[in-house]
Amino acid sequence: MKVTIYGSGYVGLVTGACLAEVGNEVLCVDVDADKIARLKRGEVPIYEPGLESMIARNREAGRLSFTTNPDEAVAHGLFQFIAVGTPPDEDGSADIQYVVAVARTIAERMSEYRIVVDKSMVPVGTADKVRETIEEIQRQQGSEVAFDVVSNPEFLKEGAAIDDFMKPDRIIIGTDNPRTTELLKALYAPFNRNRERLFAMDIRSAELTKYAANAMLATKISFMNELANLAEKVGADIEQVRVGIGSDPRIGYHFIYPGCGYGGSCFPKDVKALERTARVMGYEAELLSAVENVNSRQKRRLFEKIDHYFKGDLGGKTIALWGLAFKPNTDDMREAPSRVLMESLWNAGARVQAFDPVAMDETRRIYGERVDLQLVNDPLEALEGADGLALVTEWNLFRSPDFETMKTQLRQPVIFDGRNLYDPTFVRRQGFEYFGIGRG
Ligand SMILES: NC(=O)c1ccc[n+]([C@@H]2O[C@H](COP(=O)([O-])OP(=O)(O)OC[C@H]3O[C@@H](n4cnc5c(N)ncnc54)[C@H](O)[C@@H]3O)[C@@H](O)[C@H]2O)c1
């Protein structure tokens, strides 16, 4: 089948590569000419495990190509996927201007039946807006080409995106036309062989399902972080509490890790956008506000612990950071807790020496050259002459470090563990002072 995908970011590229991998002819489109030029040269502008080789394989086979040309884009695919960004507006609601821009691009050039598939994260009612935009342009142009609009939210996780797309937990299709459901079922059949994973529903329910999933996951994290802070006050260890409650199958062990807050391109903006949608509809979503507030507070916890340890005197101190990406296996720094920590340290007059396996270029892009930021090439180098270590992202290579050597590198053997990666008793026995999240 022929598929066009607008937006060659995390979602667009993974969707494009995976659809090409199973035999479709995919054209990926972007307005960023530099990005498309790089993709045409065989470079992949983002880090996502397995993506580079999959793109290369399918480019060589002629099933995956790239363009900035809208005429080519609209002419190519029966399926016109929208996977462009939906960043937060000033008031927290999702800004759908790029989605609407793609709808216009399609409407102005469409000369035969098209299925417009919305994969971007969009507020409930956006599919209607896309449909109205296309109808309006058709009215102005006096054209009457048939089309359908489908909501098909994406559930992939950065860092495991290929696997999530190839073996999805669910494929949500929101449509009011049974024929489009059949066509999308056919497109998704290669990813739906093991058992029925495709749920067809009405468009608004599909749009809300994606928000509900992200808001639930964010709620689990904020709940655990709230309890972690309480555990510190009452002298309990949140890690023991986590194990204790996770054993109840109604609660489960997934996604109940306390830490220094959630970040990334999804949870922070999606929780805010859903809360905003509720407000617009005249409903105060109190739980969602609390989830967001708890998370904002949690992102400051590491700094508070460091500041408290140094008695508010961080001027001239150097803090080593392990991990910059908002989570392991990605270079994505959007809303990353590391950013809140670094910016707070800089405001307090401290220097940062940081290492991350893949997110250092992104950090450079965001902050540029600064005298109070040194990015180094390996974890131990980050510790050289540092007054303490803050562990921010739980990359595998930080899990079992050489504590003996670490002690010789650090000026003061103190660890602030934002992910509770280390066993406090063991680390203290190695001669470190240790501060985790929600544990004594
Ligand atoms: N990243 C994730 O893990 C994830 C997961 C599920 C859903 N989503 C949602 O999917 C959407 C895309 O997210 P992303 O992380 O891939 O974003 P991204 O910022 O990585 O990529 C978006 C791309 O769209 C391009 N673009 C903007 N306007 C365009 C236009 N008119 N035509 C063609 N391209 C255009 C941009 O240049 C950019 O390359 C968002 O709504 C996001 O919330 C993201």
Side-chain angles (χ1 to χ4, degrees):
M1 291 190 225
K2 288 191 168 184
V3 182
T4 298
I5 301 173
Y6 299 86
S8 302
Y10 288 89
V11 172
L13 284 178
V14 169
T15 303
C18 292
L19 287 174
E21 179 80 358
V22 297
N24 298 294
E25 278 178 51
V26 180
L27 180 60
C28 286
V29 192
D30 208 288
V31 286
D32 183 340
D34 181 53
K35 197 178 253 189
I36 292 297
R38 289 177 66 188
L39 285 159
K40 281 185 168 173
R41 285 199 300 270
E43 290 173 32
V44 177
I46 53 165
Y47 175 78
E48 183 58 47
L51 183 62
E52 199 167 329
S53 56
M54 191 181 267
I55 287 182
R57 193 160 58 239
N58 286 285
R59 269 182 72 234
E60 275 159 33
R63 287 190 299 265
L64 181 61
S65 45
F66 303 94
T67 189
T68 53
N69 182 332
D71 296 330
E72 211 186 309
V74 180
H76 177 80
L78 163 67
F79 297 98
Q80 301 269 311
F81 276 81
I82 306 180
V84 298
T86 45
D89 229 337
E90 273 158 29
D91 65 357
S93 56
D95 180 354
I96 61 164
Q97 62 164 310
Y98 305 109
V99 173
V100 173
V102 175
R104 276 204 204 97
T105 300
I106 298 170
E108 285 160 359
R109 295 166 178 80
M110 197 168 59
S111 61
E112 55 188 316
Y113 175 66
R114 291 288 176 258
I115 302 173
V116 180
V117 187
D118 198 349
K119 221 173 210 337
S120 293
M121 179 78 181
V122 290
V124 178
T126 301
D128 290 342
K129 176 92 186 142
V130 166
R131 189 197 313 274
E132 284 158 20
T133 303
I134 298 175
E135 281 169 354
E136 175 63 26
I137 289 173
Q138 288 198 327
R139 250 194 313 278
Q140 287 164 10
Q141 293 183 336
S143 58
E144 270 186 20
V145 182
F147 70 96
D148 278 299
V149 179
V150 176
S151 165
N152 170 221
E154 181 49 58
F155 292 89
L156 61 76
K157 299 183 286 295
E158 284 175 26
I162 300 270
D163 223 34
D164 286 345
F165 197 96
M166 298 302 278
K167 289 182 234 137
D169 294 329
R170 73 298 220 188
I171 302 160
I172 303 283
I173 304 292
T175 171
D176 49 12
N177 180 348
R179 182 160 166 256
T180 11
T181 311
E182 289 314 308
L183 286 166
L184 277 149
K185 262 191 183 161
L187 182 69
Y188 276 112
F191 314 100
N192 196 28
R193 283 173 59 81
N194 167 270
R195 64 187 154 80
E196 186 55 77
R197 299 158 200 254
L198 192 141
F199 303 102
M201 55 181 77
D202 69 83
I203 295 177
R204 284 178 176 242
S205 301
E207 289 174 329
L208 187 56
T209 299
K210 173 66 189 176
Y211 274 103
N214 280 5
M216 171 63 102
L217 293 171
T219 302
K220 287 182 96 172
I221 297 174
S222 277
F223 174 82
M224 283 311 282
N225 285 335
E226 185 93 296
L227 272 259
N229 296 335
L230 193 54
E232 284 178 18
K233 299 263 182 227
V234 301
D237 178 351
I238 193 65
E239 289 301 329
Q240 296 187 38
V241 176
R242 178 178 68 76
V243 174
I245 62 170
S247 57
D248 181 336
R250 292 170 304 174
I251 297 173
Y253 285 111
H254 289 299
F255 246 74
I256 57 167
Y257 290 96
C260 50
Y262 60 74
S265 68
C266 295
F267 292 175
K269 88 173 161 69
D270 297 347
V271 171
K272 273 191 215 121
L274 188 55
E275 187 201 340
R276 180 74 200 150
T277 298
R279 193 162 315 150
V280 169
M281 302 311 290
Y283 181 75
E284 203 60 44
E286 290 177 25
L287 182 57
L288 298 178
S289 314
V291 167
E292 170 60 18
N293 292 340
V294 167
N295 192 56
S296 300
R297 190 173 61 190
Q298 200 64 16
K299 282 175 157 180
R300 296 193 297 271
R301 286 299 286 144
L302 267 183
F303 175 75
E304 285 164 6
K305 283 172 190 278
I306 296 169
D307 192 48
H308 184 255
Y309 179 82
F310 290 102
K311 302 188 171 56
D313 183 17
L314 277 161
K317 295 279 188 301
T318 298
I319 303 298
L321 250 70
W322 278 5
L324 293 160
F326 87 90
K327 67 173 183 180
N329 298 320
T330 181
D331 61 350
D332 201 333
M333 294 276 292
R334 288 177 279 188
E335 306 265 355
S338 66
R339 295 174 68 165
V340 176
L341 175 58
M342 283 194 288
E343 287 164 23
S344 308
L345 288 168
W346 292 331
N347 282 339
R351 283 181 69 252
V352 170
Q353 276 178 190
F355 169 79
D356 186 284
V358 301
M360 295 204 289
D361 284 346
E362 186 59 7
T363 309
R364 253 179 232 112
R365 193 188 64 75
I366 296 167
Y367 292 111
E369 293 293 324
R370 310 178 45 121
V371 286
D372 47 11
L373 170 64
Q374 201 187 348
L375 297 168
V376 297
N377 292 323
D378 82 82
L380 283 176
E381 204 184 327
L383 307 183
E384 263 172 38
D387 296 282
L389 164 65
L391 185 294
V392 189
T393 317
E394 66 278 34
W395 285 92
N396 276 344
L397 90 164
F398 300 143
R399 282 177 193 262
S400 188
D402 176 355
F403 288 103
E404 270 306 305
T405 316
M406 284 166 67
K407 224 165 45 188
T408 65
Q409 304 285 95
L410 280 165
R411 200 154 31 201
Q412 297 187 48
V414 54
I415 297 177
F416 303 92
D417 182 354
R419 300 293 173 185
N420 289 353
L421 219 49
Y422 305 128
D423 174 353
T425 311
F426 177 79
V427 173
R428 287 184 184 128
R429 214 179 290 136
Q430 305 290 311
F432 287 85
E433 283 186 88
Y434 175 87
F435 301 91
I437 302 284
R439 55 207 327 208

PDB file of all heavy atoms in Angstrom, residues 83-96:
ATOM      1  N   ALA A  83       1.760  13.184  11.461  1.00  0.00           N
ATOM      2  CA  ALA A  83       2.555  12.863  12.660  1.00  0.00           C
ATOM      3  C   ALA A  83       3.438  14.057  13.019  1.00  0.00           C
ATOM      4  O   ALA A  83       4.599  13.896  13.391  1.00  0.00           O
ATOM      5  CB  ALA A  83       3.394  11.615  12.414  1.00  0.00           C
ATOM      6  N   VAL A  84       2.885  15.250  12.865  1.00  0.00           N
ATOM      7  CA  VAL A  84       3.652  16.460  13.181  1.00  0.00           C
ATOM      8  C   VAL A  84       3.530  16.782  14.677  1.00  0.00           C
ATOM      9  O   VAL A  84       2.679  16.221  15.370  1.00  0.00           O
ATOM     10  CB  VAL A  84       3.155  17.667  12.343  1.00  0.00           C
ATOM     11  CG1 VAL A  84       3.346  17.409  10.862  1.00  0.00           C
ATOM     12  CG2 VAL A  84       1.691  17.969  12.635  1.00  0.00           C
ATOM     13  N   GLY A  85       4.359  17.694  15.141  1.00  0.00           N
ATOM     14  CA  GLY A  85       4.356  18.033  16.563  1.00  0.00           C
ATOM     15  C   GLY A  85       3.097  18.805  16.970  1.00  0.00           C
ATOM     16  O   GLY A  85       2.489  19.502  16.155  1.00  0.00           O
ATOM     17  N   THR A  86       2.723  18.640  18.244  1.00  0.00           N
ATOM     18  CA  THR A  86       1.608  19.403  18.819  1.00  0.00           C
ATOM     19  C   THR A  86       2.074  19.984  20.148  1.00  0.00           C
ATOM     20  O   THR A  86       1.671  19.531  21.212  1.00  0.00           O
ATOM     21  CB  THR A  86       0.366  18.502  19.031  1.00  0.00           C
ATOM     22  OG1 THR A  86       0.798  17.265  19.622  1.00  0.00           O
ATOM     23  CG2 THR A  86      -0.348  18.214  17.738  1.00  0.00           C
ATOM     24  N   PRO A  87       2.969  20.989  20.068  1.00  0.00           N
ATOM     25  CA  PRO A  87       3.561  21.531  21.297  1.00  0.00           C
ATOM     26  C   PRO A  87       2.531  22.267  22.147  1.00  0.00           C
ATOM     27  O   PRO A  87       1.466  22.634  21.641  1.00  0.00           O
ATOM     28  CB  PRO A  87       4.606  22.518  20.755  1.00  0.00           C
ATOM     29  CG  PRO A  87       4.121  22.896  19.392  1.00  0.00           C
ATOM     30  CD  PRO A  87       3.391  21.708  18.860  1.00  0.00           C
ATOM     31  N   PRO A  88       2.856  22.472  23.429  1.00  0.00           N
ATOM     32  CA  PRO A  88       1.889  23.183  24.268  1.00  0.00           C
ATOM     33  C   PRO A  88       1.776  24.651  23.883  1.00  0.00           C
ATOM     34  O   PRO A  88       2.774  25.292  23.560  1.00  0.00           O
ATOM     35  CB  PRO A  88       2.447  23.037  25.680  1.00  0.00           C
ATOM     36  CG  PRO A  88       3.847  22.582  25.533  1.00  0.00           C
ATOM     37  CD  PRO A  88       4.034  22.029  24.160  1.00  0.00           C
ATOM     38  N   ASP A  89       0.560  25.144  23.891  1.00  0.00           N
ATOM     39  CA  ASP A  89       0.285  26.562  23.689  1.00  0.00           C
ATOM     40  C   ASP A  89       0.636  27.296  24.980  1.00  0.00           C
ATOM     41  O   ASP A  89       0.934  26.661  25.986  1.00  0.00           O
ATOM     42  CB  ASP A  89      -1.230  26.706  23.438  1.00  0.00           C
ATOM     43  CG  ASP A  89      -1.508  27.547  22.221  1.00  0.00           C
ATOM     44  OD1 ASP A  89      -0.625  28.336  21.875  1.00  0.00           O
ATOM     45  OD2 ASP A  89      -2.603  27.418  21.644  1.00  0.00           O
ATOM     46  N   GLU A  90       0.554  28.621  24.956  1.00  0.00           N
ATOM     47  CA  GLU A  90       0.877  29.382  26.165  1.00  0.00           C
ATOM     48  C   GLU A  90       0.006  28.989  27.355  1.00  0.00           C
ATOM     49  O   GLU A  90       0.445  28.971  28.492  1.00  0.00           O
ATOM     50  CB  GLU A  90       0.693  30.878  25.898  1.00  0.00           C
ATOM     51  CG  GLU A  90       1.938  31.506  25.320  1.00  0.00           C
ATOM     52  CD  GLU A  90       1.635  32.780  24.569  1.00  0.00           C
ATOM     53  OE1 GLU A  90       0.655  33.456  24.930  1.00  0.00           O
ATOM     54  OE2 GLU A  90       2.380  33.093  23.620  1.00  0.00           O
ATOM     55  N   ASP A  91      -1.260  28.638  27.094  1.00  0.00           N
ATOM     56  CA  ASP A  91      -2.161  28.298  28.199  1.00  0.00           C
ATOM     57  C   ASP A  91      -2.153  26.801  28.521  1.00  0.00           C
ATOM     58  O   ASP A  91      -2.974  26.328  29.307  1.00  0.00           O
ATOM     59  CB  ASP A  91      -3.597  28.750  27.862  1.00  0.00           C
ATOM     60  CG  ASP A  91      -4.173  27.991  26.681  1.00  0.00           C
ATOM     61  OD1 ASP A  91      -3.448  27.158  26.090  1.00  0.00           O
ATOM     62  OD2 ASP A  91      -5.348  28.209  26.351  1.00  0.00           O
ATOM     63  N   GLY A  92      -1.224  26.042  27.934  1.00  0.00           N
ATOM     64  CA  GLY A  92      -1.115  24.615  28.255  1.00  0.00           C
ATOM     65  C   GLY A  92      -1.871  23.715  27.294  1.00  0.00           C
ATOM     66  O   GLY A  92      -1.634  22.512  27.242  1.00  0.00           O
ATOM     67  N   SER A  93      -2.798  24.271  26.519  1.00  0.00           N
ATOM     68  CA  SER A  93      -3.537  23.411  25.588  1.00  0.00           C
ATOM     69  C   SER A  93      -2.622  23.027  24.415  1.00  0.00           C
ATOM     70  O   SER A  93      -1.628  23.705  24.144  1.00  0.00           O
ATOM     71  CB  SER A  93      -4.787  24.130  25.080  1.00  0.00           C
ATOM     72  OG  SER A  93      -4.433  25.350  24.486  1.00  0.00           O
ATOM     73  N   ALA A  94      -2.969  21.923  23.739  1.00  0.00           N
ATOM     74  CA  ALA A  94      -2.118  21.466  22.634  1.00  0.00           C
ATOM     75  C   ALA A  94      -2.324  22.380  21.431  1.00  0.00           C
ATOM     76  O   ALA A  94      -3.454  22.678  21.049  1.00  0.00           O
ATOM     77  CB  ALA A  94      -2.473  20.025  22.281  1.00  0.00           C
ATOM     78  N   ASP A  95      -1.211  22.813  20.846  1.00  0.00           N
ATOM     79  CA  ASP A  95      -1.273  23.695  19.680  1.00  0.00           C
ATOM     80  C   ASP A  95      -1.380  22.819  18.427  1.00  0.00           C
ATOM     81  O   ASP A  95      -0.433  22.107  18.075  1.00  0.00           O
ATOM     82  CB  ASP A  95       0.018  24.529  19.655  1.00  0.00           C
ATOM     83  CG  ASP A  95       0.058  25.488  18.474  1.00  0.00           C
ATOM     84  OD1 ASP A  95      -0.848  25.421  17.618  1.00  0.00           O
ATOM     85  OD2 ASP A  95       0.997  26.290  18.414  1.00  0.00           O
ATOM     86  N   ILE A  96      -2.545  22.888  17.764  1.00  0.00           N
ATOM     87  CA  ILE A  96      -2.754  21.993  16.617  1.00  0.00           C
ATOM     88  C   ILE A  96      -2.521  22.705  15.277  1.00  0.00           C
ATOM     89  O   ILE A  96      -2.931  22.211  14.232  1.00  0.00           O
ATOM     90  CB  ILE A  96      -4.153  21.332  16.655  1.00  0.00           C
ATOM     91  CG1 ILE A  96      -5.272  22.384  16.607  1.00  0.00           C
ATOM     92  CG2 ILE A  96      -4.302  20.439  17.868  1.00  0.00           C
ATOM     93  CD1 ILE A  96      -6.632  21.786  16.255  1.00  0.00           C
TER      94      ILE A  96
END
